[in-house]
Amino acid sequence: MTAGDAMYALVERLYPLCRSITGDGVRATLEIVGEYLPLQVHEVPTGTRVLDWTVPQEWNIREAYIADSTGRRVVDFADSSLHVLGYSVPVSATMPLAELRAHLHTLPDHPSWVPYRTSYYAPEWGFCLAQDTLDALPDGMYEVRIDSALTDGHLTYAEHVVPGQVADEVLVSCHVCHPSLANDNLAGIAVATFLARALAERTPWYTYRFLFAPGTIGALTWLARNPGRVTGEPAARAEPGAGGRVEHGLVLACAGDRGGLTYKQSRRGDAEIDRVLRHVLRTSERPHRIVEFTPYGYDERQFCSPGFDLGVGSLCRTPYAGYPEYHTSADNLDFVTPEAMADTLAVCREACGVLDRNRRYVNLSPYGEPQLGRRGLYDSLGGRSDAKQAQLAMLWVLSLSDGEHSLLDISERSGLPFDALAAAADALRDAGLIKA
């Protein structure tokens, strides 16, 4: 099974679950992800203050429907978790259609689709249905039932850490709160999961922390509970995996549709993660867009808020609200493809490879050009089809290894591939000519 097929299979398993910002649907989702990765699951009690917010009551739902006078269920939560307004308070009543209409949500421009709607922080109830279904309902009395519960409980999120050679961290975040929406964000969950598995096959330079959390309130909760990782001085380069400072980050969302890739830059716009993704996407020659930061979207806006100002960007395919199917029942299993998720994963892996190897070096023999042949560095290139490029890469690395220029800087200035420069740096370091 290819990585794309395996990610699609994970999306298929997660798709039926009713997720929200709290509740058993999130726990069930993390339990399935936990079959792929060891997770540290956190439960944060209702009422906990998290920055300027408060962890809300936990919401769970067992049953919900609208039935006509014959008892036929014309709308049923059992058919799709999208049919109920997220965080609906309990209701059990009989009312005329005219009164019920105030609690019904449709998409007149797409009459066969069901919208996704929520009311997390205001006590409301409602149903989402196709406009075609609503148009077919005759006037009369309808039984309305939502068997839900809002109780003091917990907000649930999980972390997975891939230890690196240094404690400094790369944060990879995805939201786990949306119900049956395949692209937003089950595809993001799948790509994050398989990126973590891929990184674990080697020992990366950075420690990678994967965050699976509800949107907005989950990110805020994590930030409030991890001040040492997001403020203050960078961690000492010791004790890998013990909890360093977040140096770079990426939010994954909408990772499985057929559109080209889109990278949204961090608030800084010149963070290292921004330069890395620009470089990877440009040199890969994939169709892509680079867009500026805006304080609207996913959890990059929390990580990039002025008090934290982390270097966190966001990678997706078609951006949120950029496709008609967004937040509707049309964002289904047919909307995402194994090939698109595999492509997103490949870009993430390439970006992590550049990020991990993008170091600044100091030339230990800076007075004139060192004799490379005496050290066997030219001989090692014999017979290689790229010998001229490899030799040039060594000269560029030596020339700009002044402690100020990173390998990415050198790649952009020289026009040489990053991989060629990284290989040259490895050879020069092994020969004792440069040091990080």
Side-chain angles (χ1 to χ4, degrees):
M1 180 182 291
T2 66
D5 291 333
M7 286 187 286
Y8 189 86
L10 175 56
V11 170
E12 283 185 306
R13 290 186 65 190
L14 296 174
Y15 185 76
L17 299 177
C18 179
R19 278 166 293 273
S20 189
I21 57 173
T22 63
D24 292 335
V26 174
R27 295 187 185 96
T29 297
L30 296 177
E31 184 175 342
I32 291 173
V33 174
E35 297 175 19
Y36 294 77
L37 301 171
L39 295 179
Q40 183 180 7
V41 178
H42 304 269
E43 297 275 5
V44 184
T46 296
T48 301
R49 188 77 171 176
V50 288
L51 306 177
D52 197 44
W53 296 57
T54 302
V55 172
Q57 288 190 306
E58 183 176 325
W59 183 71
N60 286 294
I61 183 168
R62 290 168 286 276
E63 183 183 49
Y65 61 84
I66 301 172
D68 63 18
S69 58
T70 69
R72 180 177 67 93
R73 296 187 177 185
V74 297
V75 178
D76 196 341
F77 169 75
D79 295 332
S80 171
S81 58
L82 296 178
H83 274 314
V84 173
L85 178 77
Y87 255 64
S88 280
V89 298
V91 62
S92 182
T94 301
M95 63 187 67
L97 181 59
E99 181 181 346
L100 177 57
R101 282 181 180 274
H103 297 276
L104 302 181
H105 304 270
T106 65
L107 293 167
D109 291 342
H110 297 282
S112 64
W113 297 355
V114 177
Y116 166 56
R117 299 287 184 268
T118 63
S119 183
Y120 296 141
Y121 301 104
E124 269 291 350
W125 65 268
F127 287 86
C128 300
L129 64 159
Q131 182 68 44
D132 288 343
T133 301
L134 177 58
D135 291 344
L137 296 181
D139 288 334
M141 301 299 290
Y142 289 84
E143 179 191 0
V144 179
R145 177 169 172 77
I146 298 178
D147 183 11
S148 63
L150 280 160
T151 58
D152 287 350
H154 297 83
L155 178 145
T156 309
Y157 71 89
E159 295 174 286
H160 171 78
V161 175
V162 180
Q165 298 174 53
V166 298
D168 299 335
E169 293 186 355
V170 179
L171 178 67
V172 180
S173 173
C174 61
H175 59 277
V176 297
C177 51
H178 287 13
S180 298
L181 301 173
N183 198 42
D184 181 27
N185 186 40
L186 297 180
I189 296 171
V191 171
T193 299
F194 278 78
L195 177 60
R197 286 162 63 100
L199 290 170
E201 294 174 358
R202 59 184 178 84
T203 302
W205 176 253
Y206 289 107
T207 292
Y208 284 79
R209 183 174 299 273
F210 288 80
L211 176 62
F212 300 86
T216 304
I217 189 65
L220 292 165
T221 299
W222 185 85
L223 286 164
R225 288 164 57 89
N226 291 273
R229 291 198 176 95
V230 295
T231 58
E233 295 300 317
R237 293 177 178 257
E239 300 179 12
R245 188 180 188 275
V246 172
E247 295 296 319
H248 318 283
L250 191 64
V251 173
L252 292 174
C254 301
D257 67 84
R258 294 170 176 81
L261 285 154
T262 299
Y263 176 70
K264 176 182 174 181
Q265 299 185 117
S266 72
R267 176 179 174 269
R268 300 180 197 170
D270 62 350
E272 188 169 346
I273 191 70
D274 301 327
R275 298 185 60 211
V276 166
L277 262 298
R278 290 196 299 260
H279 172 84
V280 167
L281 289 170
R282 183 183 70 251
T283 57
S284 72
E285 299 184 349
R286 291 176 171 89
H288 71 276
R289 288 197 310 150
I290 306 294
V291 298
E292 297 296 325
F293 175 82
T294 63
Y296 177 78
Y298 292 115
D299 286 328
E300 68 278 356
R301 68 189 196 273
Q302 311 306 334
F303 301 123
C304 292
S305 56
F308 298 115
D309 195 25
L310 297 174
V312 176
S314 177
L315 183 67
C316 64
R317 301 195 73 83
T318 306
Y320 46 83
Y323 51 97
E325 298 84 355
Y326 178 75
H327 279 195
T328 77
S329 58
D331 184 356
N332 54 33
L333 293 172
D334 293 331
F335 188 66
V336 299
T337 71
E339 294 78 15
M341 285 186 281
D343 186 53
T344 308
L345 175 63
V347 167
C348 289
R349 294 185 66 172
E350 291 168 27
C352 291
V354 173
L355 198 62
D356 274 344
R357 292 178 294 164
N358 187 34
R359 305 219 241 299
R360 289 173 172 80
Y361 290 93
V362 174
N363 189 333
L364 299 179
S365 182
Y367 299 102
E369 181 181 305
Q371 189 175 15
L372 301 181
R374 178 165 59 83
R375 294 172 171 84
L377 291 172
Y378 279 162
D379 293 342
S380 69
L381 303 178
R384 286 178 51 171
S385 60
D386 63 343
K388 184 176 181 180
Q389 182 185 80
Q391 178 182 340
L392 192 57
M394 288 186 190
L395 297 177
W396 270 106
V397 171
L398 286 168
S399 179
L400 292 181
S401 287
D402 52 9
E404 299 295 328
H405 293 83
S406 69
L407 291 181
L408 189 55
D409 294 327
I410 301 172
S411 177
E412 291 175 349
R413 183 165 173 178
S414 68
L416 293 172
F418 181 90
D419 286 346
L421 293 163
D426 288 343
L428 292 168
R429 184 197 61 224
D430 292 346
L433 287 172
I434 61 173
K435 70 174 182 179

Coordinates of all heavy atoms in Angstrom, one line a residue, residues 319-393:
P319 N -6.9 26.9 -0.3 CA -7.1 27.5 1.0 C -8.5 27.4 1.5 O -9.5 27.2 0.7 CB -6.7 29.0 0.8 CG -5.8 29.0 -0.4 CD -6.4 27.9 -1.3
Y320 N -8.6 27.5 2.8 CA -10.0 27.6 3.5 C -10.9 28.6 2.8 O -10.4 29.7 2.4 CB -9.8 27.9 5.0 CG -8.9 29.1 5.2 CD1 -9.3 30.4 5.1 CD2 -7.5 28.8 5.5 CE1 -8.4 31.4 5.3 CE2 -6.7 29.9 5.7 CZ -7.1 31.2 5.6 OH -6.3 32.2 5.8
A321 N -12.1 28.2 2.7 CA -13.1 29.1 2.0 C -12.8 29.4 0.6 O -13.4 30.2 -0.1 CB -13.3 30.4 2.8
G322 N -11.8 28.7 0.0 CA -11.4 29.0 -1.4 C -12.0 28.0 -2.4 O -11.7 28.0 -3.6
Y323 N -12.9 27.1 -1.9 CA -13.5 26.1 -2.8 C -15.0 26.0 -2.3 O -15.3 26.1 -1.1 CB -12.8 24.8 -2.8 CG -12.5 24.2 -1.4 CD1 -13.4 23.2 -0.9 CD2 -11.4 24.5 -0.7 CE1 -13.1 22.6 0.3 CE2 -11.1 24.0 0.5 CZ -12.0 23.0 1.0 OH -11.7 22.5 2.3
P324 N -15.9 25.8 -3.3 CA -17.3 25.8 -2.9 C -17.7 24.7 -1.9 O -18.6 24.9 -1.0 CB -18.1 25.6 -4.2 CG -17.1 26.0 -5.3 CD -15.7 25.7 -4.7
E325 N -17.0 23.6 -1.9 CA -17.3 22.5 -1.0 C -16.9 22.7 0.4 O -17.2 21.9 1.3 CB -16.6 21.2 -1.5 CG -17.0 20.8 -2.9 CD -16.3 21.5 -4.0 OE1 -15.5 22.5 -3.8 OE2 -16.5 21.2 -5.2
Y326 N -16.1 23.8 0.7 CA -15.6 24.1 2.0 C -16.8 24.2 3.0 O -17.8 24.9 2.8 CB -14.9 25.4 2.0 CG -14.3 25.9 3.3 CD1 -13.2 25.3 3.9 CD2 -14.9 26.9 4.0 CE1 -12.7 25.7 5.1 CE2 -14.4 27.4 5.2 CZ -13.3 26.8 5.7 OH -12.8 27.2 6.9
H327 N -16.6 23.5 4.2 CA -17.6 23.5 5.2 C -19.0 23.0 4.7 O -20.0 23.6 5.1 CB -17.7 24.8 6.0 CG -16.6 25.0 7.0 ND1 -16.6 26.0 7.9 CD2 -15.4 24.3 7.2 CE1 -15.5 25.8 8.7 NE2 -14.8 24.8 8.2
T328 N -19.0 22.0 3.9 CA -20.3 21.5 3.4 C -20.1 19.9 3.3 O -19.0 19.4 3.3 CB -20.7 22.0 2.0 OG1 -19.9 21.4 1.0 CG2 -20.5 23.5 1.9
S329 N -21.3 19.3 3.1 CA -21.2 17.8 2.9 C -20.5 17.4 1.6 O -20.2 16.2 1.5 CB -22.7 17.3 2.9 OG -23.4 17.9 1.9
A330 N -20.3 18.4 0.7 CA -19.5 18.0 -0.5 C -18.0 17.8 -0.2 O -17.3 17.3 -1.1 CB -19.8 19.1 -1.6
D331 N -17.6 18.2 0.9 CA -16.2 17.9 1.3 C -16.2 16.5 1.9 O -16.1 16.3 3.1 CB -15.7 19.0 2.4 CG -14.3 18.8 2.8 OD1 -13.6 17.8 2.3 OD2 -13.7 19.5 3.6
N332 N -16.4 15.6 1.0 CA -16.5 14.2 1.4 C -15.4 13.4 0.9 O -14.3 13.9 0.4 CB -17.9 13.6 0.8 CG -18.0 13.8 -0.7 OD1 -17.0 13.8 -1.4 ND2 -19.2 14.1 -1.1
L333 N -15.5 12.0 1.0 CA -14.4 11.2 0.6 C -14.0 11.2 -0.9 O -12.9 10.8 -1.2 CB -14.7 9.7 1.0 CG -14.8 9.5 2.6 CD1 -15.3 8.1 2.9 CD2 -13.5 9.7 3.2
D334 N -15.0 11.7 -1.7 CA -14.7 11.8 -3.1 C -13.9 13.1 -3.4 O -13.3 13.2 -4.5 CB -16.0 11.8 -3.9 CG -16.7 10.5 -3.9 OD1 -16.1 9.5 -3.7 OD2 -18.0 10.5 -4.0
F335 N -13.9 14.0 -2.5 CA -13.2 15.3 -2.7 C -11.7 15.2 -2.5 O -11.0 16.1 -3.0 CB -13.9 16.4 -1.8 CG -13.4 17.8 -2.1 CD1 -13.8 18.4 -3.3 CD2 -12.6 18.5 -1.2 CE1 -13.3 19.7 -3.6 CE2 -12.2 19.8 -1.5 CZ -12.6 20.4 -2.7
V336 N -11.3 14.3 -1.7 CA -9.8 14.1 -1.5 C -9.3 12.9 -2.2 O -10.0 12.0 -2.5 CB -9.5 14.0 0.0 CG1 -10.0 15.2 0.8 CG2 -10.2 12.8 0.6
T337 N -8.0 12.9 -2.5 CA -7.4 11.8 -3.3 C -6.1 11.4 -2.6 O -5.4 12.2 -2.0 CB -7.0 12.3 -4.7 OG1 -5.9 13.2 -4.7 CG2 -8.2 12.9 -5.4
P338 N -5.8 10.1 -2.7 CA -4.5 9.6 -2.2 C -3.3 10.4 -2.8 O -2.3 10.7 -2.1 CB -4.5 8.1 -2.6 CG -5.9 7.8 -2.7 CD -6.6 9.0 -3.3
E339 N -3.4 10.7 -4.1 CA -2.3 11.3 -4.8 C -2.0 12.7 -4.3 O -0.9 13.2 -4.1 CB -2.6 11.4 -6.3 CG -2.7 10.1 -7.0 CD -4.0 9.3 -6.8 OE1 -4.9 9.9 -6.3 OE2 -4.0 8.1 -7.1
A340 N -3.1 13.5 -4.0 CA -2.9 14.8 -3.4 C -2.3 14.8 -2.0 O -1.4 15.6 -1.7 CB -4.3 15.6 -3.4
M341 N -2.8 13.9 -1.2 CA -2.2 13.8 0.1 C -0.7 13.3 0.1 O 0.1 13.8 0.8 CB -3.0 12.8 1.0 CG -4.3 13.4 1.5 SD -5.3 12.3 2.6 CE -6.0 11.2 1.5
A342 N -0.4 12.4 -0.9 CA 1.0 12.0 -1.0 C 1.8 13.2 -1.5 O 3.0 13.3 -1.0 CB 1.0 10.8 -2.0
D343 N 1.3 14.0 -2.3 CA 2.1 15.2 -2.8 C 2.3 16.2 -1.6 O 3.4 16.7 -1.5 CB 1.3 15.9 -3.9 CG 2.1 17.0 -4.6 OD1 3.3 16.7 -4.9 OD2 1.6 18.1 -4.6
T344 N 1.3 16.4 -0.8 CA 1.5 17.3 0.3 C 2.5 16.7 1.3 O 3.3 17.4 1.8 CB 0.1 17.5 1.1 OG1 -0.9 17.9 0.1 CG2 0.2 18.5 2.2
L345 N 2.4 15.4 1.5 CA 3.4 14.8 2.4 C 4.8 14.9 1.9 O 5.8 15.2 2.6 CB 3.0 13.3 2.6 CG 4.0 12.4 3.4 CD1 4.1 12.9 4.8 CD2 3.6 11.0 3.4
A346 N 5.0 14.7 0.5 CA 6.3 14.8 -0.1 C 6.9 16.2 0.1 O 8.1 16.4 0.5 CB 6.2 14.5 -1.5
V347 N 6.1 17.3 0.0 CA 6.6 18.6 0.2 C 7.0 18.8 1.7 O 8.0 19.4 2.0 CB 5.5 19.6 -0.2 CG1 5.8 21.0 0.3 CG2 5.4 19.6 -1.7
C348 N 6.2 18.3 2.6 CA 6.5 18.4 4.0 C 7.8 17.7 4.3 O 8.7 18.3 5.0 CB 5.4 17.8 4.9 SG 3.8 18.8 4.9
R349 N 8.0 16.6 3.7 CA 9.3 15.8 4.0 C 10.5 16.6 3.4 O 11.5 16.7 4.0 CB 9.2 14.4 3.4 CG 8.2 13.5 4.1 CD 8.2 12.1 3.5 NE 9.5 11.4 3.8 CZ 9.7 10.1 3.6 NH1 8.8 9.4 3.1 NH2 10.9 9.6 3.9
E350 N 10.3 17.2 2.2 CA 11.3 17.9 1.6 C 11.7 19.2 2.4 O 12.8 19.5 2.6 CB 10.9 18.4 0.2 CG 10.9 17.2 -0.8 CD 10.2 17.6 -2.1 OE1 10.2 18.8 -2.5 OE2 9.6 16.7 -2.8
A351 N 10.6 19.8 2.9 CA 10.8 21.0 3.7 C 11.5 20.7 5.0 O 12.4 21.4 5.5 CB 9.5 21.7 4.0
C352 N 11.2 19.6 5.7 CA 11.9 19.2 6.9 C 13.3 18.8 6.6 O 14.2 19.1 7.4 CB 11.1 18.0 7.5 SG 9.5 18.3 8.2
G353 N 13.6 18.2 5.4 CA 15.0 17.9 5.1 C 15.8 19.2 4.9 O 17.0 19.2 5.4
V354 N 15.3 20.2 4.3 CA 16.0 21.5 4.2 C 16.2 22.1 5.5 O 17.3 22.6 5.9 CB 15.3 22.4 3.2 CG1 15.9 23.8 3.1 CG2 15.3 21.8 1.8
L355 N 15.1 22.2 6.3 CA 15.1 22.8 7.6 C 16.2 22.2 8.5 O 17.0 22.9 9.2 CB 13.7 22.7 8.2 CG 13.4 23.7 9.4 CD1 13.5 25.1 9.0 CD2 12.0 23.4 10.0
D356 N 16.2 20.9 8.5 CA 17.2 20.1 9.3 C 18.6 20.3 8.9 O 19.5 20.3 9.8 CB 16.8 18.6 9.3 CG 15.8 18.3 10.3 OD1 15.5 19.1 11.2 OD2 15.2 17.1 10.2
R357 N 18.9 20.6 7.6 CA 20.3 20.7 7.2 C 20.7 22.1 6.9 O 21.9 22.4 6.6 CB 20.4 19.9 5.9 CG 20.3 18.4 6.1 CD 20.4 17.6 4.8 NE 19.3 17.9 3.9 CZ 19.3 17.7 2.6 NH1 20.3 17.2 2.0 NH2 18.2 18.0 1.9
N358 N 19.8 23.1 7.1 CA 20.1 24.5 6.8 C 20.9 25.1 8.0 O 20.4 25.8 8.8 CB 18.9 25.3 6.6 CG 19.2 26.7 6.1 OD1 20.1 26.9 5.3 ND2 18.3 27.6 6.5
R359 N 22.2 24.9 7.9 CA 23.1 25.4 9.0 C 24.0 26.4 8.5 O 24.3 26.6 7.3 CB 23.9 24.2 9.6 CG 22.9 23.1 10.1 CD 23.4 22.5 11.4 NE 23.7 21.1 11.3 CZ 22.8 20.2 10.9 NH1 21.6 20.6 10.6 NH2 23.2 18.9 10.8
R360 N 24.6 27.2 9.4 CA 25.6 28.2 9.1 C 27.0 27.5 9.5 O 27.1 27.0 10.6 CB 25.4 29.5 9.9 CG 24.2 30.2 9.3 CD 23.9 31.4 10.2 NE 22.9 32.3 9.6 CZ 21.6 32.0 9.6 NH1 21.1 31.0 10.3 NH2 20.7 32.9 9.0
Y361 N 27.9 27.6 8.7 CA 29.2 27.1 8.9 C 30.3 28.2 9.0 O 30.1 29.3 8.5 CB 29.6 26.1 7.8 CG 28.8 24.8 7.9 CD1 27.6 24.7 7.1 CD2 29.2 23.7 8.6 CE1 26.8 23.5 7.1 CE2 28.4 22.6 8.7 CZ 27.2 22.5 7.9 OH 26.5 21.3 8.0
V362 N 31.4 27.8 9.6 CA 32.6 28.7 9.7 C 33.8 28.0 9.0 O 34.1 26.8 9.2 CB 33.0 29.0 11.1 CG1 34.3 29.8 11.2 CG2 31.9 29.8 11.8
N363 N 34.4 28.7 8.0 CA 35.5 28.2 7.3 C 36.7 28.2 8.2 O 37.1 29.2 8.8 CB 35.8 29.1 6.1 CG 36.8 28.5 5.1 OD1 37.7 27.7 5.6 ND2 36.8 28.9 3.9
L364 N 37.3 27.0 8.4 CA 38.5 26.9 9.3 C 39.8 27.1 8.6 O 40.9 27.1 9.3 CB 38.5 25.5 10.0 CG 37.2 25.1 10.8 CD1 37.3 23.7 11.4 CD2 37.1 26.1 12.0
S365 N 39.7 27.3 7.3 CA 40.9 27.6 6.5 C 40.6 28.8 5.6 O 40.5 28.6 4.4 CB 41.4 26.4 5.7 OG 42.6 26.7 5.0
P366 N 40.3 30.0 6.2 CA 39.7 31.1 5.4 C 40.7 31.9 4.6 O 40.3 32.8 3.9 CB 39.0 31.9 6.5 CG 39.9 31.7 7.7 CD 40.4 30.3 7.7
Y367 N 42.0 31.7 4.8 CA 43.0 32.5 4.1 C 43.4 31.9 2.8 O 44.3 31.0 2.8 CB 44.2 32.8 5.1 CG 43.8 33.5 6.3 CD1 43.7 32.8 7.5 CD2 43.5 34.9 6.3 CE1 43.3 33.5 8.7 CE2 43.1 35.6 7.4 CZ 43.0 34.9 8.6 OH 42.6 35.5 9.8
G368 N 42.7 32.3 1.8 CA 43.0 31.6 0.5 C 42.2 30.3 0.4 O 41.6 29.8 1.4
E369 N 42.2 29.8 -0.8 CA 41.4 28.6 -1.0 C 42.2 27.3 -0.5 O 43.4 27.2 -0.9 CB 41.1 28.4 -2.5 CG 40.3 27.2 -2.9 CD 40.1 27.1 -4.4 OE1 39.6 28.1 -5.0 OE2 40.5 26.1 -5.0
P370 N 41.6 26.5 0.3 CA 42.4 25.3 0.8 C 42.6 24.3 -0.3 O 41.8 24.3 -1.3 CB 41.5 24.8 1.9 CG 40.1 25.3 1.5 CD 40.3 26.6 0.9
Q371 N 43.6 23.6 -0.2 CA 43.9 22.6 -1.3 C 43.0 21.4 -1.1 O 43.3 20.5 -0.2 CB 45.4 22.2 -1.2 CG 45.8 21.4 -2.4 CD 47.3 21.1 -2.4 OE1 48.0 21.3 -1.4 NE2 47.9 20.6 -3.5
L372 N 42.0 21.3 -1.9 CA 41.0 20.2 -1.8 C 41.6 18.9 -2.3 O 41.2 17.8 -1.7 CB 39.8 20.6 -2.6 CG 39.1 21.9 -2.2 CD1 37.8 22.1 -3.0 CD2 38.7 21.8 -0.7
G373 N 42.4 18.9 -3.3 CA 43.0 17.7 -3.9 C 43.8 16.9 -2.8 O 43.7 15.7 -2.7
R374 N 44.6 17.7 -2.0 CA 45.4 17.0 -1.0 C 44.6 16.3 0.0 O 45.1 15.3 0.6 CB 46.3 18.1 -0.3 CG 47.2 17.6 0.8 CD 48.2 18.6 1.1 NE 47.7 19.9 1.6 CZ 47.3 20.1 2.8 NH1 47.3 19.2 3.7 NH2 46.8 21.3 3.2
R375 N 43.4 16.7 0.2 CA 42.5 16.1 1.2 C 41.6 15.1 0.5 O 40.7 14.6 1.2 CB 41.6 17.2 1.9 CG 42.5 18.1 2.7 CD 41.6 19.3 3.2 NE 42.4 20.1 4.2 CZ 43.2 21.1 3.9 NH1 43.5 21.3 2.7 NH2 43.8 21.7 4.9
G376 N 41.8 14.8 -0.7 CA 41.0 13.7 -1.4 C 39.6 14.2 -1.8 O 38.8 13.3 -2.3
L377 N 39.3 15.4 -1.7 CA 38.0 15.9 -2.0 C 37.7 15.9 -3.5 O 36.6 15.7 -4.0 CB 37.7 17.3 -1.4 CG 37.7 17.3 0.1 CD1 37.6 18.7 0.7 CD2 36.5 16.4 0.6
Y378 N 38.7 16.3 -4.3 CA 38.5 16.2 -5.7 C 38.5 14.8 -6.2 O 37.7 14.4 -7.1 CB 39.7 17.0 -6.4 CG 39.5 18.5 -6.5 CD1 40.5 19.3 -6.8 CD2 38.2 19.1 -6.3 CE1 40.4 20.7 -6.8 CE2 38.0 20.4 -6.3 CZ 39.1 21.2 -6.6 OH 38.9 22.6 -6.6
D379 N 39.4 13.9 -5.7 CA 39.4 12.5 -6.1 C 38.1 11.9 -5.9 O 37.7 11.0 -6.6 CB 40.5 11.8 -5.3 CG 41.9 12.3 -5.7 OD1 42.0 12.9 -6.8 OD2 42.8 12.0 -4.9
S380 N 37.4 12.3 -4.8 CA 36.1 11.6 -4.5 C 35.0 11.9 -5.5 O 34.0 11.3 -5.6 CB 35.6 12.1 -3.1 OG 35.2 13.5 -3.1
L381 N 35.3 12.9 -6.4 CA 34.3 13.3 -7.4 C 34.5 12.6 -8.7 O 33.7 12.7 -9.6 CB 34.4 14.8 -7.6 CG 34.2 15.7 -6.4 CD1 34.3 17.2 -6.8 CD2 32.8 15.5 -5.8
G382 N 35.6 11.9 -8.8 CA 36.0 11.2 -10.1 C 34.9 10.3 -10.6 O 34.3 9.5 -9.8
G383 N 34.5 10.4 -11.9 CA 33.5 9.6 -12.4 C 32.1 10.0 -12.2 O 31.1 9.4 -12.7
R384 N 31.9 11.0 -11.4 CA 30.5 11.5 -11.1 C 30.0 12.3 -12.2 O 30.7 13.2 -12.7 CB 30.5 12.2 -9.8 CG 30.6 11.4 -8.5 CD 30.6 12.2 -7.3 NE 29.5 13.1 -7.2 CZ 29.2 13.8 -6.0 NH1 29.9 13.6 -5.0 NH2 28.2 14.6 -6.0
S385 N 28.8 12.2 -12.6 CA 28.2 13.0 -13.7 C 28.0 14.4 -13.3 O 28.0 15.3 -14.1 CB 26.8 12.4 -14.1 OG 25.9 12.4 -13.0
D386 N 27.9 14.6 -11.9 CA 27.7 16.0 -11.4 C 29.0 16.5 -10.8 O 28.9 17.4 -9.9 CB 26.6 16.0 -10.4 CG 26.9 15.2 -9.2 OD1 27.8 14.3 -9.2 OD2 26.2 15.4 -8.2
A387 N 30.1 16.0 -11.2 CA 31.4 16.4 -10.6 C 31.6 17.9 -10.6 O 32.1 18.5 -9.6 CB 32.6 15.7 -11.3
K388 N 31.3 18.6 -11.7 CA 31.6 20.0 -11.8 C 30.7 20.8 -10.9 O 31.2 21.7 -10.2 CB 31.3 20.5 -13.3 CG 31.6 21.9 -13.5 CD 31.4 22.3 -14.9 CE 31.8 23.8 -15.1 NZ 31.6 24.2 -16.5
Q389 N 29.4 20.3 -10.8 CA 28.5 21.0 -9.8 C 29.0 20.8 -8.4 O 28.9 21.7 -7.6 CB 27.1 20.5 -10.0 CG 26.1 21.2 -9.1 CD 24.7 20.5 -9.2 OE1 24.4 19.5 -8.7 NE2 23.8 21.2 -10.0
A390 N 29.4 19.5 -8.1 CA 29.8 19.2 -6.7 C 31.1 20.0 -6.3 O 31.2 20.5 -5.2 CB 30.1 17.7 -6.6
Q391 N 32.0 20.2 -7.3 CA 33.2 21.0 -7.0 C 32.8 22.4 -6.8 O 33.3 23.1 -5.9 CB 34.2 20.9 -8.2 CG 35.4 21.7 -8.1 CD 36.3 21.6 -9.3 OE1 36.2 20.7 -10.1 NE2 37.2 22.6 -9.4
L392 N 31.9 22.9 -7.6 CA 31.5 24.3 -7.5 C 30.8 24.5 -6.1 O 30.9 25.6 -5.5 CB 30.6 24.7 -8.6 CG 30.2 26.2 -8.8 CD1 31.5 27.0 -9.0 CD2 29.3 26.4 -10.0
A393 N 30.0 23.5 -5.7 CA 29.3 23.6 -4.5 C 30.3 23.7 -3.3 O 30.1 24.5 -2.4 CB 28.4 22.4 -4.3

